[in-house]
Amino acid sequence: MTANPFLDIHPEVAAALAAKRPVVALESTIIAHGMPYPNNVATALQVEAEVRAHGAVPATIAIVQGRLKVGLSPDEIEQLGRGGRDVVKVSRRDMAFIVAAGQTGATTVASTMLIAAMAGIRVFATGGIGGVHRGAAQSFDISADLLELAQTPVAVVCAGIKSILDLGLTLEYLETHGVPVVGYQTNNLPAFYTRESGFKVDYRLDTPDAIAGAMQAQWAMGLQGGMVVSNPIPEAYAMPRATIDAAIEQALQEARAQGVAGKQSTPFLLARVSEITGGNSLASNIQLVLNNARLAAGIAVAYQQRVA
Ligand code: PSU
Ligand code: MN
């Protein structure tokens, strides 16, 4: 790989990568835009601890003063969390401009994957990925996360696809672009707060090593994209489908009424759903991210054993 003049890999992460030890990438839009302060900061630190407890080194990714940071200090996480919605949300198309201006930004799944791949990290844990929005036939609102999954070799562990999105269209889009959707110990596509969505995954795999085996095969034969690893929320934290569906309907209606579009649309919907459902959804959100961090660490460990 050619040296990237904008990449700053934290010494601990760099040492792990050099020694071929497992590393898990983590995103920062979930910190700045996905949860309220101070829960966002506490959760981000807990997620890092969970990755460590399961044998991998965490690398939380963001852009800080124009640098692509792979691995943040607790102070940097605090800044992103405190900044909240004032922090710029950076997807692939925004990266060059934020870097050139020396600004700070929170990275989405798309830009986190991209920066992880630049650093040589293959496994990434988050809460939910972006997708095809409801009404996309009119709005054309399709997350850049999906096209990143089509071209960047990182496995993204998530709790499925939040039903603010059109799950059926998201699956069709992923299929078109050659992105596999794996279910961890399930045939059902989870929908973030719920363990089932009514849709199926493409492949059920029951162990971290089986997932690592698919990753190894995909990349060893030169296929370029990533994969979605969907991990259902633990039963004890799953939410009643009706509660979530009602909140999502209300949030979608408000978004339409206010003409919310473009990059504002996902953060608006996420914030409104969490405000409408209150503390319950926050607790669920935190638990599913921790659950994904554990699985991602297990996959990273298994993958490194295979490629070592
Ligand atoms: N979905 C969630 N929680 C999130 C996001 C999506 O359930 O925090 C964030 C992720 O950072 C994701 C981004 O990459 O929103 C997608 O935004 P957009 O739809 O504008 O691409
Ligand atoms: Mn969008």
Side-chain angles (χ1 to χ4, degrees):
M1 206 195 310
T2 49
N4 182 325
F6 300 108
L7 200 57
D8 268 355
I9 305 183
H10 189 283
E12 187 195 4
V13 176
L17 290 168
K20 304 209 177 306
R21 280 186 276 123
V23 176
V24 172
L26 301 162
E27 62 149 312
S28 45
T29 292
I30 190 175
I31 304 175
H33 298 261
M35 283 180 202
Y37 181 82
N39 309 76
N40 54 3
V41 172
T43 302
L45 297 173
Q46 239 185 313
V47 167
E48 290 198 340
E50 203 67 16
V51 169
R52 285 183 204 288
H54 290 80
V57 172
T60 304
I61 290 176
I63 301 181
V64 178
Q65 295 178 350
R67 307 291 303 168
L68 309 176
K69 291 275 185 185
V70 180
L72 299 181
S73 68
D75 268 4
E76 288 166 331
I77 289 178
E78 170 72 24
Q79 272 178 39
L80 290 165
R82 196 185 278 277
R85 291 182 220 174
D86 292 338
V87 178
V88 186
K89 174 182 159 195
V90 180
S91 195
R92 173 188 268 263
R93 68 107 193 254
D94 309 292
M95 286 174 61
F97 299 86
I98 298 303
V99 166
Q103 289 177 2
T104 292
T107 50
T108 63
V109 168
S111 51
T112 303
M113 285 179 76
L114 196 45
I115 297 168
M118 289 171 179
I121 301 171
R122 300 292 205 177
V123 184
F124 166 16
T126 186
I129 57 169
V132 179
H133 280 259
R134 298 198 200 178
Q138 293 302 318
S139 69
F140 266 56
D141 191 349
I142 299 173
S143 175
D145 294 354
L146 302 185
L147 276 171
E148 206 59 51
L149 280 158
Q151 58 185 317
T152 299
V154 174
V156 180
V157 181
C158 64
I161 300 160
K162 200 175 276 182
S163 37
I164 57 170
L165 302 168
D166 188 317
L167 276 62
L169 293 188
T170 301
L171 290 174
E172 291 293 349
Y173 194 90
L174 288 170
E175 181 189 9
T176 300
H177 289 277
V179 180
V181 179
V182 173
Y184 179 62
Q185 298 182 344
T186 182
N187 289 300
N188 297 309
L189 177 71
F192 200 87
Y193 295 117
T194 57
R195 292 175 61 85
E196 295 180 12
S197 60
F199 292 90
K200 298 291 181 197
V201 295
D202 304 319
Y203 295 94
R204 170 184 175 147
L205 296 175
D206 288 340
T207 63
D209 185 62
I211 296 168
M215 292 160 57
Q216 186 182 25
Q218 180 163 310
W219 297 325
M221 71 177 98
L223 295 180
Q224 277 182 342
M227 64 178 70
V228 178
V229 177
S230 52
N231 185 27
I233 184 171
E235 190 82 63
Y237 296 99
M239 294 188 66
R241 184 93 158 250
T243 309
I244 283 301
D245 285 351
I248 286 172
E249 280 310 325
Q250 186 184 330
L252 285 166
Q253 257 174 35
E254 291 176 9
R256 271 193 298 272
Q258 294 175 38
V260 178
K263 71 187 280 189
Q264 302 312 330
S265 144
T266 298
F268 178 90
L269 293 170
L270 294 177
R272 284 305 290 140
V273 169
S274 85
E275 283 157 10
I276 295 162
T277 51
N280 289 342
S281 74
L282 180 60
S284 295
N285 203 340
I286 292 169
Q287 292 300 324
L288 68 82
V289 179
L290 292 171
N291 191 46
N292 295 343
R294 282 189 285 277
L295 176 58
I299 295 170
V301 168
Y303 183 78
Q304 284 309 324
Q305 278 167 2
R306 281 175 170 269
V307 299

